[in-house]
Amino acid sequence: TPRLVEELVKITGPVTVDGKVFNTENIIDELQYQVEVGFLKDGISRRARKELVGDLGRELLKKIANLSPWKWAGIYSMAQEMFKEKQLMIWSADEVVEEALIKQGWAGEMKQVDGDFLMIVDANTAALKTDPEVERSIHYEVLSDGARLKARVTVLYNHHGQFDWKTTRYRTYTRVYVPLGSELVSSNGFIENDKIRSKGKIEPRPALVSEELGKTVFGGFIAIEPGEQGTLTLEYYLPEKIAQQAASGLYTLFVQKQLGTAAPKLTVDADFGKTVKQDVWHKETDLREDRSF
Protein backbone atom coordinates (compact mmCIF):
# COMPACT_ATOMS: atom_id res chain seq x y z
CA THR A 1 0.00 0.00 0.00
CA PRO A 2 1.12 3.67 -0.19
CA ARG A 3 1.93 3.51 3.53
CA LEU A 4 4.57 0.85 2.82
CA VAL A 5 6.17 3.01 0.12
CA GLU A 6 6.34 5.96 2.53
CA GLU A 7 8.06 3.80 5.14
CA LEU A 8 10.57 2.49 2.57
CA VAL A 9 11.51 5.99 1.44
CA LYS A 10 12.18 6.95 5.06
CA ILE A 11 14.94 4.33 4.99
CA THR A 12 16.28 4.72 1.43
CA GLY A 13 16.04 8.49 1.16
CA PRO A 14 14.49 10.45 -1.77
CA VAL A 15 13.97 8.76 -5.14
CA THR A 16 14.30 10.66 -8.43
CA VAL A 17 12.42 9.62 -11.59
CA ASP A 18 12.33 11.70 -14.79
CA GLY A 19 13.60 14.73 -12.90
CA LYS A 20 10.87 14.46 -10.27
CA VAL A 21 12.02 14.00 -6.66
CA PHE A 22 9.86 11.81 -4.43
CA ASN A 23 10.42 12.00 -0.67
CA THR A 24 8.50 11.04 2.48
CA GLU A 25 6.57 14.33 2.48
CA ASN A 26 5.31 14.28 -1.11
CA ILE A 27 5.56 10.76 -2.54
CA ILE A 28 1.88 9.78 -2.33
CA ASP A 29 0.31 13.12 -3.28
CA GLU A 30 2.86 13.74 -6.06
CA LEU A 31 2.49 10.24 -7.50
CA GLN A 32 -1.32 10.49 -7.49
CA TYR A 33 -1.16 13.94 -9.07
CA GLN A 34 1.16 12.82 -11.87
CA VAL A 35 -0.97 9.76 -12.66
CA GLU A 36 -4.32 11.56 -12.51
CA VAL A 37 -3.53 15.12 -13.76
CA GLY A 38 0.16 15.86 -14.35
CA PHE A 39 0.57 13.43 -17.27
CA LEU A 40 -1.55 15.74 -19.43
CA LYS A 41 0.86 18.66 -18.92
CA ASP A 42 3.81 16.39 -19.77
CA GLY A 43 2.19 15.21 -23.01
CA ILE A 44 1.93 11.60 -21.85
CA SER A 45 -0.93 9.46 -23.15
CA ARG A 46 -3.59 8.15 -20.80
CA ARG A 47 -2.53 4.61 -21.68
CA ALA A 48 1.06 5.31 -20.54
CA ARG A 49 0.26 7.53 -17.54
CA LYS A 50 0.90 4.81 -14.95
CA GLU A 51 4.31 3.81 -16.27
CA LEU A 52 5.69 6.26 -13.71
CA VAL A 53 4.59 3.87 -10.96
CA GLY A 54 6.69 1.05 -12.42
CA ASP A 55 9.67 3.36 -12.97
CA LEU A 56 9.46 4.57 -9.38
CA GLY A 57 9.22 0.99 -8.11
CA ARG A 58 12.33 -0.05 -10.04
CA GLU A 59 14.34 2.92 -8.74
CA LEU A 60 13.21 2.20 -5.21
CA LEU A 61 14.29 -1.45 -5.51
CA LYS A 62 17.71 -0.35 -6.76
CA LYS A 63 18.15 1.86 -3.71
CA ILE A 64 17.07 -0.94 -1.39
CA ALA A 65 19.53 -3.37 -3.01
CA ASN A 66 22.37 -0.88 -2.49
CA LEU A 67 21.62 -0.19 1.17
CA SER A 68 24.35 -0.72 3.73
CA PRO A 69 23.92 -4.10 5.49
CA TRP A 70 23.26 -2.42 8.84
CA LYS A 71 20.15 -0.75 7.39
CA TRP A 72 18.54 -4.10 6.58
CA ALA A 73 17.54 -4.50 10.23
CA GLY A 74 15.35 -1.43 9.76
CA ILE A 75 13.81 -2.91 6.60
CA TYR A 76 13.06 -6.15 8.43
CA SER A 77 11.46 -4.40 11.45
CA MET A 78 9.42 -2.15 9.18
CA ALA A 79 8.20 -5.12 7.11
CA GLN A 80 7.10 -6.98 10.25
CA GLU A 81 5.07 -3.96 11.32
CA MET A 82 3.54 -3.55 7.85
CA PHE A 83 2.49 -7.23 7.80
CA LYS A 84 0.83 -6.80 11.19
CA GLU A 85 -1.00 -3.66 10.05
CA LYS A 86 -2.09 -5.31 6.75
CA GLN A 87 -0.18 -2.77 4.65
CA LEU A 88 1.88 -5.58 3.10
CA MET A 89 0.52 -8.98 2.04
CA ILE A 90 1.90 -11.80 -0.10
CA TRP A 91 0.07 -14.35 -2.26
CA SER A 92 1.57 -17.38 -3.98
CA ALA A 93 0.15 -19.81 -6.54
CA ASP A 94 2.35 -22.48 -4.93
CA GLU A 95 0.13 -24.16 -2.32
CA VAL A 96 3.07 -25.08 -0.06
CA VAL A 97 4.38 -21.52 -0.10
CA GLU A 98 0.89 -20.11 0.43
CA GLU A 99 0.36 -22.35 3.47
CA ALA A 100 3.62 -21.06 4.95
CA LEU A 101 2.51 -17.47 4.30
CA ILE A 102 -0.81 -18.14 6.06
CA LYS A 103 0.98 -19.55 9.10
CA GLN A 104 3.10 -16.40 9.26
CA GLY A 105 -0.01 -14.20 9.03
CA TRP A 106 1.21 -12.63 5.78
CA ALA A 107 -1.45 -13.87 3.34
CA GLY A 108 -4.45 -11.67 4.18
CA GLU A 109 -6.96 -14.51 4.09
CA MET A 110 -10.39 -14.38 5.75
CA LYS A 111 -9.89 -15.74 9.27
CA GLN A 112 -11.96 -18.70 10.44
CA VAL A 113 -12.67 -18.65 14.18
CA ASP A 114 -14.89 -20.64 16.53
CA GLY A 115 -16.43 -17.63 18.30
CA ASP A 116 -17.91 -14.29 17.26
CA PHE A 117 -16.47 -12.50 14.24
CA LEU A 118 -16.69 -9.11 12.54
CA MET A 119 -15.06 -7.65 9.44
CA ILE A 120 -16.18 -4.49 7.64
CA VAL A 121 -15.01 -4.08 4.04
CA ASP A 122 -15.47 -0.87 2.04
CA ALA A 123 -15.09 -0.88 -1.74
CA ASN A 124 -14.46 2.52 -3.35
CA THR A 125 -16.85 2.77 -6.32
CA ALA A 126 -15.77 5.65 -8.58
CA ALA A 127 -14.88 7.93 -5.65
CA LEU A 128 -11.42 8.93 -6.96
CA LYS A 129 -8.78 9.03 -4.15
CA THR A 130 -11.27 9.99 -1.45
CA ASP A 131 -10.56 7.20 1.05
CA PRO A 132 -7.87 9.05 3.09
CA GLU A 133 -10.34 11.87 3.72
CA VAL A 134 -12.93 9.56 5.28
CA GLU A 135 -12.58 8.79 8.99
CA ARG A 136 -14.35 5.64 10.17
CA SER A 137 -15.54 4.75 13.66
CA ILE A 138 -16.93 1.28 14.43
CA HIS A 139 -19.12 0.48 17.42
CA TYR A 140 -19.92 -3.18 18.05
CA GLU A 141 -22.47 -4.19 20.69
CA VAL A 142 -23.59 -7.62 21.92
CA LEU A 143 -26.77 -7.76 24.00
CA SER A 144 -28.57 -10.61 25.72
CA ASP A 145 -32.07 -11.15 24.29
CA GLY A 146 -33.54 -14.00 26.28
CA ALA A 147 -31.74 -17.18 25.24
CA ARG A 148 -30.27 -15.44 22.18
CA LEU A 149 -27.52 -12.89 21.61
CA LYS A 150 -28.27 -9.86 19.45
CA ALA A 151 -25.44 -7.90 17.82
CA ARG A 152 -25.50 -4.31 16.64
CA VAL A 153 -22.86 -2.80 14.32
CA THR A 154 -22.73 0.96 13.85
CA VAL A 155 -20.25 2.48 11.40
CA LEU A 156 -19.83 6.27 11.35
CA TYR A 157 -18.26 7.74 8.20
CA ASN A 158 -16.94 11.30 8.62
CA HIS A 159 -15.94 12.90 5.30
CA HIS A 160 -13.35 15.61 6.07
CA GLY A 161 -12.51 16.40 2.43
CA GLN A 162 -13.79 18.77 -0.21
CA PHE A 163 -14.31 18.55 -3.97
CA ASP A 164 -11.01 18.75 -5.90
CA TRP A 165 -9.04 16.77 -8.49
CA LYS A 166 -8.64 13.75 -6.21
CA THR A 167 -11.58 14.01 -3.79
CA THR A 168 -15.32 13.73 -4.34
CA ARG A 169 -18.36 12.30 -2.56
CA TYR A 170 -17.43 8.98 -0.98
CA ARG A 171 -19.19 6.13 -2.74
CA THR A 172 -18.70 2.70 -1.19
CA TYR A 173 -20.24 -0.73 -1.49
CA THR A 174 -19.90 -1.94 2.09
CA ARG A 175 -19.91 -5.57 3.18
CA VAL A 176 -20.15 -6.63 6.82
CA TYR A 177 -18.87 -10.18 7.42
CA VAL A 178 -20.34 -11.92 10.49
CA PRO A 179 -20.56 -15.52 11.75
CA LEU A 180 -22.23 -17.93 9.33
CA GLY A 181 -25.87 -18.42 10.30
CA SER A 182 -26.42 -14.92 11.70
CA GLU A 183 -29.97 -13.62 11.11
CA LEU A 184 -30.52 -10.03 10.01
CA VAL A 185 -33.08 -8.13 12.10
CA SER A 186 -32.78 -4.63 10.62
CA SER A 187 -30.50 -2.38 8.59
CA ASN A 188 -30.35 1.39 8.25
CA GLY A 189 -28.04 3.53 6.11
CA PHE A 190 -27.83 1.69 2.80
CA ILE A 191 -29.23 3.66 -0.16
CA GLU A 192 -30.13 3.12 -3.80
CA ASN A 193 -27.79 5.76 -5.26
CA ASP A 194 -25.90 8.96 -4.50
CA LYS A 195 -27.23 12.53 -4.40
CA ILE A 196 -26.51 13.29 -8.07
CA ARG A 197 -27.59 10.02 -9.66
CA SER A 198 -30.79 9.93 -7.62
CA LYS A 199 -31.53 13.61 -8.51
CA GLY A 200 -31.58 14.55 -4.84
CA LYS A 201 -34.11 11.91 -3.81
CA ILE A 202 -32.22 9.44 -1.63
CA GLU A 203 -33.97 6.06 -1.55
CA PRO A 204 -33.15 3.77 1.41
CA ARG A 205 -32.48 0.12 0.68
CA PRO A 206 -32.31 -2.92 2.98
CA ALA A 207 -29.08 -4.86 3.30
CA LEU A 208 -28.51 -7.67 0.83
CA VAL A 209 -27.83 -10.96 2.64
CA SER A 210 -25.45 -13.54 1.20
CA GLU A 211 -22.81 -16.10 2.15
CA GLU A 212 -19.13 -15.89 1.24
CA LEU A 213 -15.86 -17.33 2.54
CA GLY A 214 -17.60 -19.17 5.37
CA LYS A 215 -19.42 -16.06 6.63
CA THR A 216 -22.84 -14.46 6.42
CA VAL A 217 -22.51 -11.12 4.62
CA PHE A 218 -24.70 -8.01 4.84
CA GLY A 219 -24.02 -5.60 1.98
CA GLY A 220 -25.17 -2.37 0.40
CA PHE A 221 -24.28 1.01 -1.10
CA ILE A 222 -23.49 4.20 0.85
CA ALA A 223 -22.60 7.73 -0.33
CA ILE A 224 -21.30 10.57 1.87
CA GLU A 225 -20.93 14.14 0.66
CA PRO A 226 -17.74 16.12 1.47
CA GLY A 227 -18.04 17.77 4.87
CA GLU A 228 -20.86 15.46 5.94
CA GLN A 229 -21.32 12.27 7.96
CA GLY A 230 -23.02 9.00 7.16
CA THR A 231 -24.07 6.20 9.50
CA LEU A 232 -24.68 2.53 8.83
CA THR A 233 -26.44 0.41 11.46
CA LEU A 234 -27.10 -3.33 11.36
CA GLU A 235 -28.84 -5.48 13.96
CA TYR A 236 -28.77 -9.27 13.79
CA TYR A 237 -29.01 -12.38 15.92
CA LEU A 238 -25.80 -14.31 16.38
CA PRO A 239 -25.86 -18.07 15.72
CA GLU A 240 -27.09 -20.29 18.53
CA LYS A 241 -23.60 -21.77 18.90
CA ILE A 242 -22.18 -18.44 20.08
CA ALA A 243 -25.05 -17.88 22.53
CA GLN A 244 -24.35 -21.35 23.96
CA GLN A 245 -20.67 -20.53 24.32
CA ALA A 246 -21.54 -17.39 26.28
CA ALA A 247 -24.02 -19.30 28.43
CA SER A 248 -21.22 -21.79 29.19
CA GLY A 249 -19.06 -18.94 30.45
CA LEU A 250 -16.81 -18.08 27.49
CA TYR A 251 -17.45 -15.49 24.78
CA THR A 252 -14.74 -14.60 22.26
CA LEU A 253 -14.69 -11.99 19.50
CA PHE A 254 -12.28 -11.61 16.59
CA VAL A 255 -12.43 -8.31 14.64
CA GLN A 256 -10.51 -8.53 11.38
CA LYS A 257 -9.06 -5.45 9.77
CA GLN A 258 -9.67 -4.69 6.10
CA LEU A 259 -6.41 -4.87 4.15
CA GLY A 260 -4.77 -1.52 3.51
CA THR A 261 -6.95 0.63 5.75
CA ALA A 262 -5.53 3.00 8.37
CA ALA A 263 -6.68 2.56 11.97
CA PRO A 264 -10.46 3.03 12.34
CA LYS A 265 -11.66 3.65 15.88
CA LEU A 266 -13.21 0.56 17.46
CA THR A 267 -15.49 0.40 20.49
CA VAL A 268 -16.86 -2.89 21.81
CA ASP A 269 -19.69 -3.13 24.36
CA ALA A 270 -21.20 -6.35 25.66
CA ASP A 271 -23.99 -7.09 28.13
CA PHE A 272 -24.53 -10.82 28.54
CA GLY A 273 -27.26 -10.59 31.15
CA LYS A 274 -25.24 -12.49 33.79
CA THR A 275 -24.58 -15.45 31.51
CA VAL A 276 -20.80 -14.96 31.88
CA LYS A 277 -18.63 -14.00 34.84
CA GLN A 278 -17.93 -10.49 33.53
CA ASP A 279 -21.44 -9.79 32.28
CA VAL A 280 -20.91 -6.13 31.25
CA TRP A 281 -17.82 -5.23 29.26
CA HIS A 282 -16.49 -2.11 27.50
CA LYS A 283 -13.36 -1.59 25.40
CA GLU A 284 -12.09 1.31 23.29
CA THR A 285 -9.24 0.71 20.84
CA ASP A 286 -8.60 0.88 17.08
CA LEU A 287 -8.20 -1.45 14.11
CA ARG A 288 -4.56 -0.70 13.37
CA GLU A 289 -4.32 -4.50 13.35
CA ASP A 290 -6.65 -7.45 13.93
CA ARG A 291 -8.14 -7.45 17.44
CA SER A 292 -9.06 -10.41 19.63
CA PHE A 293 -11.26 -10.15 22.73
Side-chain angles (χ1 to χ4, degrees):
T1 68
R3 169 83 188 285
L4 171 67
V5 178
E6 288 177 323
E7 294 297 321
L8 280 172
V9 174
K10 285 180 184 178
I11 298 173
T12 66
V15 180
T16 302
V17 179
D18 294 335
K20 300 178 179 67
V21 179
F22 298 89
N23 54 44
T24 54
E25 285 74 35
N26 75 353
I27 187 165
I28 302 307
D29 285 343
E30 181 67 16
L31 192 58
Q32 289 181 346
Y33 176 79
Q34 293 299 333
V35 169
E36 298 296 333
V37 178
F39 73 96
L40 293 170
K41 297 180 181 179
D42 292 340
I44 298 172
S45 69
R46 178 167 290 275
R47 181 187 296 272
R49 66 194 174 99
K50 292 189 177 182
E51 289 182 3
L52 175 63
V53 179
D55 294 339
L56 177 62
R58 283 184 284 275
E59 287 301 314
L60 188 56
L61 286 173
K62 287 180 186 177
K63 298 203 74 168
I64 292 171
N66 291 324
L67 284 175
S68 301
W70 62 270
K71 284 196 173 183
W72 275 92
I75 292 278
Y76 178 79
S77 297
M78 181 274 294
Q80 292 294 321
E81 195 63 25
M82 293 297 97
F83 278 126
K84 185 187 296 184
E85 294 186 15
K86 306 291 184 72
Q87 304 299 334
L88 173 61
M89 293 283 109
I90 305 177
W91 174 83
S92 174
D94 185 313
E95 292 183 4
V96 175
V97 174
E98 181 69 4
E99 187 62 32
L101 293 171
I102 290 172
K103 287 180 179 179
Q104 286 291 330
W106 297 353
E109 80 286 358
M110 179 71 72
K111 299 294 185 182
Q112 303 301 326
V113 298
D114 191 47
D116 198 1
F117 178 91
L118 176 67
M119 184 179 186
I120 298 168
V121 177
D122 283 302
N124 179 315
T125 57
L128 303 180
K129 308 298 183 184
T130 303
D131 294 77
E133 301 297 335
V134 181
E135 179 186 10
R136 296 164 179 79
S137 299
I138 302 167
H139 188 192
Y140 184 63
E141 302 167 88
V142 179
L143 306 169
S144 176
D145 188 2
R148 310 186 76 180
L149 286 181
K150 180 185 285 187
R152 180 188 298 123
V153 178
T154 304
V155 186
L156 175 64
Y157 297 86
N158 196 343
H159 193 331
H160 296 293
Q162 57 187 356
F163 288 108
D164 57 30
W165 65 268
K166 66 174 182 177
T167 308
T168 183
R169 61 184 52 84
Y170 187 57
R171 298 162 48 88
T172 169
Y173 188 87
T174 300
R175 286 164 290 170
V176 180
Y177 290 80
V178 300
L180 186 64
S182 297
E183 302 172 29
L184 183 66
V185 175
S186 65
S187 65
N188 186 42
F190 289 133
I191 59 177
E192 174 65 22
N193 221 319
D194 65 29
K195 185 176 181 180
I196 299 300
R197 293 174 181 268
S198 63
K199 298 180 179 180
K201 187 179 180 181
I202 303 297
E203 295 284 350
R205 284 291 181 266
L208 296 176
V209 183
S210 60
E211 293 182 8
E212 184 182 26
L213 301 173
K215 312 292 182 187
T216 291
V217 187
F218 307 132
F221 177 76
I222 302 171
I224 302 101
E225 297 293 307
E228 297 184 6
Q229 293 182 341
T231 303
L232 168 65
T233 304
L234 295 164
E235 286 193 355
Y236 53 93
Y237 282 115
L238 291 167
E240 183 180 351
K241 178 184 74 171
I242 296 174
Q244 290 175 345
Q245 290 172 353
S248 299
L250 178 64
Y251 167 83
T252 61
L253 168 66
F254 186 85
V255 185
Q256 185 165 347
K257 176 187 179 177
Q258 178 180 357
L259 307 185
T261 52
K265 296 176 182 177
L266 174 65
T267 303
V268 179
D269 283 296
D271 185 346
F272 297 100
K274 298 183 179 180
T275 59
V276 297
K277 186 174 182 180
Q278 187 178 345
D279 57 315
V280 178
W281 196 80
H282 174 82
K283 180 71 173 180
E284 294 182 20
T285 181
D286 61 46
L287 266 182
R288 185 172 299 278
E289 56 189 81
D290 293 343
R291 300 295 183 187
S292 295
F293 306 98

